[in-house]
Amino acid sequence: MSPSDYLGSEPTLGKSTYQRIRGMILDGTLVPGTRLQEKAFADRLGVSRTPVREAIAQLMSEGLVAKPAGGAPVVNSISLSDIMEILHVRRLLECEATRQAALSGKPLDELLELRSEIKGFLEGPRPDAETHASVDRRLHLALARMAGSGLLTELIENLKTKTIIYDKGSIPDRFEPGCHEHLAIIDAVIARDADAALEAMRVHLTNVREAIILHISQPF
């Protein structure tokens, strides 16, 4: 089951528990190494231990939670080497997905809506980190869906989530360049220019990688 199956509009108790714990991981409320004890989280969220257990199992399958031998599950950490590998694989997958999206001939309504939102970010007040991250995620997944492969979409979604865990908006200088890069990707897909779309995504993910490396080497 993919994360999207747990993020539907009509969540069950298990899904809502998963969404709440997942949200706390992604926004940094639960830092890497936090122990996820079933009873403690059941009491914290006001649910029984069963939905907590199910949520933890799903988060483990996504790589957001790890279970050390003989210990309680903990929030997973993403190292620099991990994120470099993730971004390498994302570039392989998403460049091809974006190329296929440009060739797909599928409706462009969602991309046009995202383009308008991103233009609004640049022309109006800067959005909060959560709003910006949501649009960023929607764009990458929209392109993956346009490519026409459910498996590809699931892989990209999982890798994108791990990138968010590492970043958490800690590279503010990427906001404006990232918006312009997203617009270049969208414009190439709207123009049905597969080569330009692939190159725009390649440039975007390469710049993300370089910004993370620079941030690590010059954190202050």
Side-chain angles (χ1 to χ4, degrees):
M1 183 175 290
S2 74
S4 293
D5 296 320
Y6 268 73
L7 295 170
S9 58
E10 298 293 339
T12 63
L13 182 59
K15 288 180 182 178
S16 65
T17 301
Y18 158 84
Q19 290 171 1
R20 292 170 71 184
I21 297 175
R22 184 178 187 270
M24 287 188 284
I25 293 173
L26 295 184
D27 69 14
T29 300
L30 300 178
V31 300
T34 300
R35 298 178 69 190
L36 302 180
Q37 296 178 312
E38 288 180 13
K39 185 179 186 308
F41 273 83
D43 293 343
R44 180 174 180 174
L45 301 177
V47 298
S48 70
R49 294 176 67 167
T50 298
V52 173
R53 186 180 307 119
E54 292 173 352
I56 290 172
Q58 175 63 20
L59 292 165
M60 287 177 63
S61 74
E62 295 173 28
L64 302 187
V65 170
K67 188 172 183 181
V74 298
V75 176
N76 209 355
S77 61
I78 306 293
S79 68
L80 178 58
S81 60
D82 289 336
I83 197 65
M84 290 299 101
E85 183 176 4
I86 287 166
L87 288 170
H88 174 67
V89 176
R90 279 187 61 192
R91 186 163 62 177
L92 293 175
L93 296 179
E94 293 197 59
C95 285
E96 176 59 19
T98 305
R99 188 181 76 85
Q100 291 294 336
L103 295 172
S104 69
K106 291 185 177 179
L108 300 169
D109 296 18
E110 187 173 8
L111 288 188
L112 290 169
E113 179 182 338
L114 286 163
R115 189 182 192 284
S116 177
E117 291 185 55
I118 295 168
K119 289 283 287 183
F121 290 168
L122 292 170
E123 295 168 357
R126 184 163 177 164
D128 58 48
E130 183 178 353
T131 300
H132 180 228
S134 174
V135 169
D136 179 41
R137 178 179 179 277
R138 283 165 53 204
L139 172 58
H140 285 266
L141 295 186
L143 293 167
R145 287 192 298 270
M146 287 180 69
S149 168
L151 176 59
L152 183 60
T153 301
E154 182 177 343
L155 290 170
I156 289 172
E157 182 173 13
N158 286 337
L159 293 170
K160 178 64 177 167
T161 296
K162 291 180 175 65
T163 308
I164 293 171
I165 294 172
Y166 186 90
D167 178 10
K168 292 192 178 71
S170 63
I171 311 177
D173 290 347
R174 280 290 303 155
F175 171 75
E176 187 170 338
C179 286
H180 286 295
E181 290 161 16
H182 281 158
L183 290 174
I185 293 166
I186 292 171
D187 288 345
V189 174
I190 289 174
R192 309 294 191 185
D193 188 333
D195 291 339
L198 183 152
E199 178 61 15
M201 180 60 79
R202 187 195 66 76
V203 167
H204 173 58
L205 292 176
T206 297
N207 287 343
V208 170
R209 178 182 183 277
E210 292 178 353
I212 288 175
I213 292 172
L214 181 63
H215 181 71
I216 292 299
S217 62
Q218 300 177 352
F220 302 109

